[in-house]
Amino acid sequence: MLKNWIHRNVDEREYLDYHRKAVKEYQQHWEVIARELEWFSPWTKVVEETDKAHVFKWFVGGTTNISYLALDRHAKTWRRHKLAFIWEGEPVDEQGRPKEVRKFTYYDLWREVNRVAYAMRTKLGLKRGDRIAIYLPMIPELPIFMLAAARLGVIFTVIFSGFTAENIANRVNDLNASLIVTADGVYRRGKILRLKEIVDESLKFTPSVQRVVVVRRLGGELSLTQRDVTLDELLKGVPPNTYVDPERMESNEVLYVLYTSGTTGRPKGMIHDHGGYATLLHATMKWVFDARDDDVYFCTADIGWVTGHSYIVFGPLIEGLTSVMYEGTLDFPAPDRWWSIVERYGVTILYTSPTAVRTLMKFGDDLVKKHDLSTLRIIHSVGEPINPSAWRWLFEVVGGSRAPVGSTWWMTETGGIMISYLPGLMLVPMKPGSNGYPLPGIDVDVLDESGNPVKPGERGYLVIRNPWPGMPAAPTGVWGDHERYVKTYWSKYKDLFYAGDYAVKDSDGYIWVAGRADEVMKVSGHRIGTYELESVLVAHRAVSEAAVIGVPDEVKGEVPIAYVVLKTGNQPSEEMRKELVDWIRKNYGPIATPRALFFVNKLPKTRSGKIMRRLMRSVATNSPLGDTTTLEDASSVEEVRTAYEEFV
Ligand code: ATP
Ligand code: MG
């Protein structure tokens, strides 16, 4: 455990008392937060269950609009001239400086959103309740279209711009969307990716789509059909000071549908609303990020994932923060692009992911240290458990042992952060790899198979006991599939939200989420988390990334096998293999001795960067791969397959 090295002394017991109270009186608790936002008209009821089981409504009858909360509220105050976004394109000049930077004040952004909303309504005929898909890269038009749709009450789904035509078609068809917004292309790792062509391909399978709006990111030739219209064309004649009254949205009306990462199976289209969702974002921006007016905030996710929805677009804007938005990849032109961004804009809050951290660690500390990162005051990560070695690197090398580093646990379903260190409320001693405490009002527990809380330090399943604003919203939680919603989250335990992750609550009440519920091996009766072994492996000086799976074994029940990616400058060898196996034996115990350890160049990951252990397990058990639509790179599975087949 790290000492309380920071300015505020905290009494954890005090927090836990406060937490207990906030859980018990969770309705009043959330009501206080919701009142800090602006409502066009008040709610009549804080929370109620709908006629669809386990679907709750928050702030019933209250009306607001998240685009109003994110923009109008600030454009009316001194923040009108504050920067909302500093956007940086990927291409650089000979000196390595960004070729394009676009800055938007809250006023600029508000104006642009109004113009786009106006054009959407008058020229495309979109109205409240209509559905559109947004397949845009990380350019300012992406948040602009999200906010414009929200303003009109048009339901949107954002499709990550690295996805294929098949992914687009699946999502567009699930939502029955009438329009796709896309761009001619995008710069990614120095190359051009032609997005419009991918959309054209998807259109063969999407009968519901009537129009396609194209944002010109690249310029140059573009073949358009009758169905297509460029954004420039659309905005022609729309005056700069156009104003569109934001729709008075009942708190529970659908804001967007977003599909989960697909790590464990076919993606689920989660619904989020206006009022409850905004309330959770407001609370978490304050407690988790300690958002202040002089902050410069940088979330490195892609807006195509929920992290980007909540913590690049809506959360920071609701708080009136200045955010950096970056178009490209972390290693272009060199793997210090992010550090250069932090230095140049004086970033104070950094929100990133373990997969990125492991990738960047691979290149050594010098690339970080050559930049002045002294402005950083808070660092968090999200997406997977953070291996203690990756945590230490973030804390010591990136944060200079000054900034608290957290691992915020949440999921697409929860809308916002549920478990985290809370530097905006209090600072507790940090434990590398832990998630910290559940947020005020969030009643998290760790249960055994029969639903009893496990003892401190024991492994169990993570559940949330009471409803929270920002949870999967009406009408059905999962878009068009209430049954799947109930089956996935509410069937394992009666009336408890089952997250599908396993976790430990330690004797201080800290939560340690350690992976997917189905990723625990049982080796000779001992339960071993695949992630725990991976953390042991990545703590080795030569290892960059590791994935461990359990395979059936006649004697032991299950045994681990490991896949390892080495850091730059290390070569696979029999010696290295032996060294790593010994390393596991020494640092975890002989019980976890892997049956095999393979060196690969790349692990199978989702496009959001999560290790897809289920695919490796399918290869090892010779069973069908299942849904691979969110797989980042099919060659990674082939590599795993070849390695495994050569072994058996
Ligand atoms: P799918 O639900 O389609 O299988 P997914 O669960 O990866 O995909 P997301 O909603 O993007 O989709 O991710 C949520 C999951 O990510 C959580 O259930 C958890 O397993 C993991 N996760 C997120 N943040 C953390 C964290 N800080 N520590 C541990 N695990 C985390
Ligand atoms: Mg999930």
Side-chain angles (χ1 to χ4, degrees), residues 260-268 306 381-386 407-413 435 489 499-501 513-516 606 608 610:
T260 57
S261 290
T263 314
T264 57
R266 182 166 59 88
K268 299 157 284 239
V306 74
S381 91
V382 62
E384 290 177 295
I386 188 150
S407 168
T408 62
W409 178 87
W410 59 297
M411 41 204 301
T412 311
E413 293 81 341
N435 300 100
Y489 309 104
D501 285 339
V513 177
R516 313 292 172 150
T606 61
S608 56
K610 299 174 191 223

Side-chain angles (χ1 to χ4, degrees), residues 313-379:
V313 182
F314 295 112
L317 292 178
I318 288 171
E319 296 314 293
L321 280 185
T322 298
S323 293
V324 179
M325 182 177 165
Y326 168 55
E327 175 182 44
T329 54
L330 84 186
D331 55 354
F332 188 87
D336 64 343
R337 182 67 182 260
W338 286 359
W339 315 130
S340 151
I341 287 175
V342 170
E343 178 172 38
R344 281 183 286 116
Y345 300 112
V347 171
T348 57
I349 306 174
L350 179 70
Y351 196 22
T352 188
S353 68
T355 181
V357 172
R358 291 188 304 253
T359 304
L360 291 171
M361 280 171 77
K362 193 156 75 175
F363 300 102
D365 300 357
D366 291 347
L367 274 178
V368 188
K369 287 184 176 154
K370 80 179 216 212
H371 295 280
D372 174 7
L373 307 184
S374 59
T375 48
L376 284 174
R377 68 179 189 93
I378 290 177
I379 302 174

Side-chain angles (χ1 to χ4, degrees), residues 365-442:
D365 300 357
D366 291 347
L367 274 178
V368 188
K369 287 184 176 154
K370 80 179 216 212
H371 295 280
D372 174 7
L373 307 184
S374 59
T375 48
L376 284 174
R377 68 179 189 93
I378 290 177
I379 302 174
H380 284 294
S381 91
V382 62
E384 290 177 295
I386 188 150
N387 318 90
S389 57
W391 185 93
R392 279 185 196 286
W393 191 79
L394 262 186
F395 181 67
E396 286 163 14
V397 181
V398 178
S401 303
R402 281 180 316 272
V405 172
S407 168
T408 62
W409 178 87
W410 59 297
M411 41 204 301
T412 311
E413 293 81 341
T414 66
I417 296 165
M418 298 278 107
I419 308 173
S420 176
Y421 293 142
L422 305 166
L425 273 183
M426 58 159 188
L427 287 154
V428 295
M430 297 181 295
K431 308 185 191 186
S434 162
N435 300 100
Y437 290 123
L439 268 66
I442 304 294

Side-chain angles (χ1 to χ4, degrees), residues 521-524 533 548-562 591-596:
M521 293 169 283
K522 219 166 178 183
V523 184
S524 306
L533 289 190
V548 173
I549 56 167
V551 293
D553 179 88
E554 273 180 19
V555 181
K556 297 181 175 166
E558 259 181 319
V559 286
I561 60 176
I591 177 90
T593 308
R595 173 189 287 169

